[in-house]
């Protein structure tokens, strides 16, 4: 089949790579100037794969797709020749003693799975964390490296026709219009424009999220951790090069302006309260982006002859993409 994909975020790139491997002829259109230029929400994502912890807000369907994706990601990274880009060694939930009541209310809303850790067990797993934190291990959860995976997916799909620096101005069954008025014809058009699909999906909105990158040599963190707090949901995600990503705010706004002082103060003070070694860390990067969300916060996969739209991945694009791509491959 000839397939044209609008949007090279996580969903578009994963589909392009998989469809090309399955023998289809694929073209991808995206306004980014090249595979490494950030813009997609997928670049900003922390890369947490947390079907269990996210059940606090997310549906059982999201969790089920998430667990399926967690089973698929390691094989995808392996096929890309970079197995280290995905880790599934579990994550930690943390709470300060005085916040235990609030944390237990959250835990009571999660399915079975979190395993309480006593002080010695926490110290054995994460010696740099404050020792008297309440902690739970979430086995099987994981993390991945978004920038590296996005670039690997594009670079390892050389047979795909990449239209970088081009915008789709009209997405229709079996045809897509480029910003210069040229039409691309196909057997199937797939719309994965994220927030760029707003002209065709009136209910789609952006939800602002902010992250900060810390350079913290000597501060060892081995798992992604999430702090259960009465006011904030803060996570710390270790990355190579002594980087720890601290995120993320969730603000009902389509404002893409730089990180606010309030978000920076709240996220960083929460991070420092669990990992005091961060005191001398350097803030090397701050970033804002918008999560594409629909009113029910569910992923939206709409099929009609010659056109497939995938959107509304909200907080969970990386968590959902392989499971959704699997459904698309079956459909194709
Ligand atoms: C701060 C933050 C933290 C996050 N953390 C996580 C996390 O830890 N785990 C997780 O699973 N998810 C996380 N997410 C969510 C995740 O990033 C999104 O769900 C995911 O990126 C959505 O994927 P997508 O491919 O639908 O859209 P995007 O990744 O936004 O990609 C859309 C692409 O479409 C392109 N486009 C737009 N308009 C057009 C057009 N007219 N023509 C052609 N192309 C167009 C854009 O340039 C972009 O490349 C986070 C998001 C944010 C903002």
């Amino acid at each position: 089949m000839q397939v044209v994909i609008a949007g090279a975020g996580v969903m578009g790139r994963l589909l392009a790579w998989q469809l090309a491997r399955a023998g289809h002829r694929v073209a991808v259109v995206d306004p980014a100037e090249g595979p490494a230029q950030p813009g997609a929400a997928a670049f900003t994502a922390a890369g947490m794969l947390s079907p269990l912890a996210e059940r606090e807000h997310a549906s059982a369907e999201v969790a089920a797709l998430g667990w399926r994706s967690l089973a698929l990601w390691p094989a995808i990274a392996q096929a890309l020749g970079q197995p280290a880009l995905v880790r599934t060694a579990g994550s930690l939930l943390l709470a300060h003693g005085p916040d235990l009541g609030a944390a237990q209310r959250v835990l009571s809303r999660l399915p079975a799975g979190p395993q309480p850790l006593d002080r010695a067990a926490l110290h054995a797993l994460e010696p740099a964390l404050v020792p008297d934190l309440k902690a739970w291990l979430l086995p099987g959860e994981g993390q991945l490296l978004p920038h590296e995976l996005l670039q690997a997916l594009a670079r390892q799909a050389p047979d795909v026709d990449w239209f970088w620096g081009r915008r789709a101005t009209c997405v229709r069954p079996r045809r897509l219009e480029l910003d210069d008025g040229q039409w691309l014809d196909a057997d199937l058009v797939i719309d994965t424009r994220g927030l760029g699909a707003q002209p065709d999906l009136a209910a789609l909105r952006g939800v602002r999220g902010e992250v900060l990158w810390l350079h913290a040599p000597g501060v060892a963190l081995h798992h992604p951790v999430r702090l259960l707090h009465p006011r904030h949901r803060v996570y710390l995600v270790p990355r190579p090069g002594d980087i720890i990503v601290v995120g993320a705010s969730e603000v009902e706004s389509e404002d893409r302006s730089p990180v606010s002082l309030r978000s920076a103060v709240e996220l960083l003070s929460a991070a420092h309260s669990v990992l005091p070694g961060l005191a001398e860390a350097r803030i090397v990067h701050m970033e804002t982006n918008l999560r594409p969300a629909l009113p029910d916060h569910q992923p939206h996969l709409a099929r009609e002859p010659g056109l497939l739209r995938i959107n509304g991945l909200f907080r969970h694009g990386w968590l959902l993409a392989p499971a959704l791509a699997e459904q698309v491959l079956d459909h194709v």
Side-chain angles (χ1 to χ4, degrees):
M1 283 176 79
Q2 175 74 49
V3 183
V4 175
I5 299 175
V10 54
M11 201 64 242
R13 291 186 201 209
L14 187 59
L15 280 172
W17 178 73
Q18 292 194 327
L19 286 164
R21 274 165 61 92
H24 301 288
R25 279 174 293 134
V26 183
V28 181
V29 178
D30 195 287
E33 290 303 328
Q37 191 190 62
F43 276 101
T44 310
M48 301 267 286
L49 302 174
S50 305
L52 186 49
E54 286 289 322
R55 278 290 271 131
E56 185 190 353
H57 310 285
S59 66
E61 183 196 344
V62 166
L65 290 167
W67 285 117
R68 178 65 190 147
S69 293
L70 261 159
L72 295 169
W73 268 124
I76 294 170
Q78 184 81 41
L80 289 168
Q82 303 198 53
L85 298 186
V86 178
R87 293 187 67 224
T88 55
S91 72
L92 298 184
L93 279 180
L94 306 173
H96 290 290
D99 300 331
L100 187 57
Q104 268 164 347
R105 275 193 295 284
V106 171
L107 285 161
S108 68
R109 292 204 292 276
L110 302 184
Q115 298 172 358
L117 297 173
D118 63 19
R119 199 182 166 98
L122 176 63
H123 184 75
L125 281 179
E126 293 290 357
L129 289 174
V130 168
D132 52 2
L133 285 163
K134 307 294 171 202
W136 297 262
L137 175 67
L138 274 49
E141 289 207 339
Q143 71 169 111
L144 45 70
L145 298 179
H147 282 242
E148 289 80 352
L149 273 168
L150 285 167
Q151 290 181 53
L153 285 168
R155 297 217 159 94
Q156 299 209 20
D159 297 339
V160 171
D161 244 333
W162 296 96
F163 288 76
W164 295 114
R166 306 296 297 277
R167 182 176 294 277
T169 48
C170 186
V171 176
R172 292 289 170 262
R174 298 194 185 87
R175 56 203 310 248
L176 175 154
E177 186 188 39
L178 295 174
D179 41 15
D180 63 357
Q182 182 196 345
W183 285 88
L184 300 180
D185 294 317
D187 301 305
L188 176 66
V189 171
I190 305 182
D191 184 355
T192 54
R193 286 174 292 168
L195 214 55
Q198 271 177 328
D200 292 317
L201 264 179
L204 190 66
R205 72 184 199 286
V207 178
R208 177 177 164 97
E210 297 150 292
V211 294
L212 298 101
W213 294 24
L214 303 179
H215 183 229
V219 183
L221 187 66
H222 307 291
H223 301 80
V225 303
R226 187 182 296 244
L227 178 62
L228 297 172
H229 184 279
R231 287 191 306 284
H232 317 301
R233 297 287 173 267
V234 179
Y235 49 70
L236 287 76
V237 183
R239 291 212 179 144
D242 298 319
I243 296 292
I244 295 180
V245 176
V246 182
S249 60
E250 188 177 315
V251 184
E252 273 302 336
S253 161
E254 294 195 346
D255 174 1
R256 288 182 187 264
S257 65
V259 175
S260 72
L261 178 121
R262 182 213 293 258
S263 294
V265 167
E266 290 181 351
L267 291 171
L268 293 180
S269 63
H272 177 244
S273 75
V274 295
L275 200 54
L278 289 178
E280 285 303 319
R282 298 297 187 258
I283 304 168
V284 291
H285 181 63
M286 299 197 241
E287 192 170 328
T288 303
N289 215 320
L290 303 179
R291 306 172 178 95
L294 287 161
D296 60 3
H297 289 174
Q298 291 284 105
H300 172 81
L301 203 161
R303 302 181 172 99
E304 60 181 289
L307 179 62
L308 204 59
R309 295 187 194 276
I310 307 173
N311 218 310
L313 305 191
F314 187 40
R315 295 172 59 93
H316 309 119
W318 287 97
L319 181 64
L320 298 174
L324 293 174
E326 190 174 52
Q327 293 183 8
V328 173
L329 267 284
D330 287 349
H331 167 76
V332 167

